[in-house]
Amino acid sequence: LEEFERDINPIDPATATSPTERAELAWQEGLKHRNSGRLREAIAAFNRAVQLDPKLAKVYVSRGLAY
């Protein structure tokens, strides 16, 4: 789990234009929710990330851990 969280790089939401960048932001949002114990919100954020970039494997791992 920690290895995925180390991948967090600051992305400016104002300049995130590609689906992958927006998926990264949704994934980071999901991690924040999960770490705060808000699992429903985390799963919703991870689902958004999957919709934006279905090839982003770490999102599937994070979502699975939130269930």
Side-chain angles (χ1 to χ4, degrees), residues 7-8 16-17 19 25-26 28 30 37 46-47 54-55 58 62:
D7 283 348
I8 295 176
T17 56
L25 288 173
Q28 291 175 15
F46 295 141
N47 286 340
K55 295 182 181 181
K58 63 187 173 186
S62 296

Side-chain angles (χ1 to χ4, degrees), residues 46-64:
F46 295 141
N47 286 340
R48 278 195 311 279
V50 167
Q51 289 175 340
L52 289 163
D53 187 351
K55 295 182 181 181
L56 201 57
K58 63 187 173 186
V59 176
Y60 292 97
V61 173
S62 296
R63 184 175 66 178

Side-chain angles (χ1 to χ4, degrees), residues 3-66:
E3 68 187 72
F4 294 110
E5 293 179 0
R6 276 184 278 182
D7 283 348
I8 295 176
N9 293 317
I11 297 173
D12 183 358
T15 61
T17 56
S18 76
T20 299
E21 289 175 328
R22 293 194 322 266
E24 286 279 343
L25 288 173
W27 173 69
Q28 291 175 15
E29 177 188 345
L31 289 178
K32 290 176 188 176
H33 287 308
R34 192 194 67 218
N35 291 340
S36 297
R38 296 186 310 268
L39 299 181
R40 288 184 187 189
E41 292 90 343
I43 292 168
F46 295 141
N47 286 340
R48 278 195 311 279
V50 167
Q51 289 175 340
L52 289 163
D53 187 351
K55 295 182 181 181
L56 201 57
K58 63 187 173 186
V59 176
Y60 292 97
V61 173
S62 296
R63 184 175 66 178
L65 292 170

